[in-house]
Amino acid sequence: MSRLLSRWKQPNAEGRTQSVTPERAGWGYVGFEAYELQEGQTLTLPAVREERCLVLVAGRASVTTPSAQFNDIGERMSPFERIKPWAVYVTPQETVQVKALTALELAVCAAPGKGTYPTRLIAPEDIDAEARGKGHNQRYVHNILPEDRPADSLLVVEVWTNEGRTSSYPSHKHDTDNPPQETYLEETYYHRLNPEQGFCMQRVYTDDRTLDECMAVYNRDVVMVPKGYHPVATMAGYDSYYLNVMAGPVRKWMFTWEEDHAWINRDYPADGGG
Ligand SMILES: O=C(O)C[C@@H](O)[C@H](O)C(=O)CO
């Protein structure tokens, strides 16, 4: 199995199903965890040096830190309802208590923080929606924590790709610290499929192909993108949702298209050629 793929595991006693630390990924910035809590279950996250963004992927919860309390947040019971999520930005060095008010699927996104910004609620009305691309490359995006919203280093976005389509495409990369052309950003993909037994494909590759991995990704798996291009393709019958976390030394999403496929942005027909 690819070292870039973290398969979903049954929830442990705390409800954790995924844990990608910088040590495990072999990089310096992004951390990602996923939890599945039962109704009434409580999760306590310790205080850490990182800033965090808790995304309620599905379900409702109350979230408490030493400086803030957000009671009964969350609305959608599945990401495939395609309504905007609720999220909480947590400043470094705060413990977090999460009480699940329904079955809860929670993503904990982490990256280095300086404590510049206080803990705050990110409500659906704080999140912009965007349709990107055309034809069979069309996808739908919610910008949960984009670069024009306060955070020290975290960038968080969720993306839907309908069956038989592509996204994170045409291929692009952000692995070189050379703004304004490109920024170095590590990235995780937390994948969901609908129906759940489906899979999608994700390739991670560099120009010189010293990295070139193609993965069959199942529901709730995580893909780590340390560098290179990272397109996703969905299969007939299965829609995809993924939650991306990105971070690096500069909090800007600047990327380079792979030249061979950049025409998809320009000349590919709006109906995908029929
Ligand atoms: O537009 C998309 O299809 C989503 C991607 O941009 C994704 O968020 C990513 O690859 C960021 O680098």
Side-chain angles (χ1 to χ4, degrees):
M1 190 178 79
S2 169
R3 68 186 173 84
L4 303 182
L5 184 59
S6 171
R7 291 276 188 224
W8 175 83
K9 289 194 189 63
Q10 291 286 346
N12 69 4
E14 286 183 292
R16 196 173 59 237
T17 61
Q18 286 285 1
S19 175
V20 174
T21 59
E23 294 70 34
R24 175 174 179 193
W27 60 29
Y29 294 88
V30 170
F32 180 82
E33 291 178 336
Y35 292 84
E36 290 169 38
L37 304 187
Q38 291 166 10
E39 182 179 334
Q41 194 175 344
T42 297
L43 168 70
T44 302
L45 300 170
V48 292
R49 289 195 319 214
E50 289 76 23
E51 61 181 1
R52 289 178 283 198
C53 180
L54 274 54
V55 179
L56 279 70
V57 177
R60 294 197 345 258
S62 292
V63 177
T64 309
T65 78
S67 68
Q69 181 154 6
F70 307 111
N71 288 327
D72 198 357
I73 60 171
E75 185 180 352
R76 67 190 191 194
M77 290 296 131
S78 156
F80 292 99
E81 289 174 26
R82 299 187 185 221
I83 57 176
K84 292 177 184 175
W86 291 73
V88 177
Y89 172 84
V90 181
T91 200
Q93 305 295 3
E94 288 205 329
T95 50
V96 187
Q97 198 171 70
V98 180
K99 175 150 198 215
L101 304 177
T102 63
L104 180 71
E105 184 175 351
L106 179 76
V108 180
C109 317
K114 299 184 195 140
T116 319
Y117 304 103
T119 295
R120 69 177 189 278
L121 183 65
I122 302 174
E125 58 268 27
D126 302 322
I127 296 172
D128 293 331
E130 199 187 331
R132 291 186 192 155
K134 49 188 174 171
H136 298 294
N137 193 46
Q138 191 163 41
R139 62 268 188 212
Y140 304 90
V141 177
H142 286 158
N143 291 305
I144 298 170
L145 194 51
E147 64 189 47
D148 62 357
R149 301 295 157 89
D152 285 321
S153 61
L154 260 180
L155 295 164
V156 181
V157 64
E158 60 180 12
V159 180
W160 287 263
T161 315
N162 288 342
E163 56 159 329
R165 308 270 161 130
T166 51
S167 64
S168 295
Y169 186 75
S171 306
H172 65 275
K173 71 178 187 76
H174 38 72
D175 57 14
T176 307
D177 189 16
N178 183 31
Q181 273 71 46
E182 197 173 313
T183 43
Y184 170 87
L185 293 171
E186 300 156 357
E187 185 167 14
T188 53
Y189 279 69
Y190 175 63
H191 284 271
R192 297 281 268 102
L193 278 304
N194 187 33
E196 292 199 340
Q197 74 272 24
F199 66 93
C200 66
M201 307 298 292
Q202 185 160 22
R203 184 181 178 201
V204 182
Y205 63 106
T206 53
D207 283 315
D208 63 7
R209 306 295 192 263
T210 51
L211 174 64
D212 191 353
E213 311 232 348
C214 195
M215 289 159 268
V217 182
Y218 284 84
N219 197 37
R220 297 187 164 99
D221 287 350
V222 172
V223 170
M224 294 162 254
V225 182
K227 60 180 176 179
Y229 308 105
H230 40 279
V232 171
T234 60
M235 312 300 290
Y238 297 98
D239 292 338
S240 132
Y241 161 94
Y242 50 77
L243 179 73
N244 289 141
V245 185
M246 290 185 278
V250 178
R251 191 168 178 261
K252 294 258 176 232
W253 182 44
M254 292 170 172
F255 54 87
T256 311
W257 299 109
E258 188 181 17
E259 215 175 299
D260 282 352
H261 311 303
W263 68 272
I264 297 288
N265 285 322
R266 297 186 305 265
D267 306 326
Y268 181 59
D271 66 357

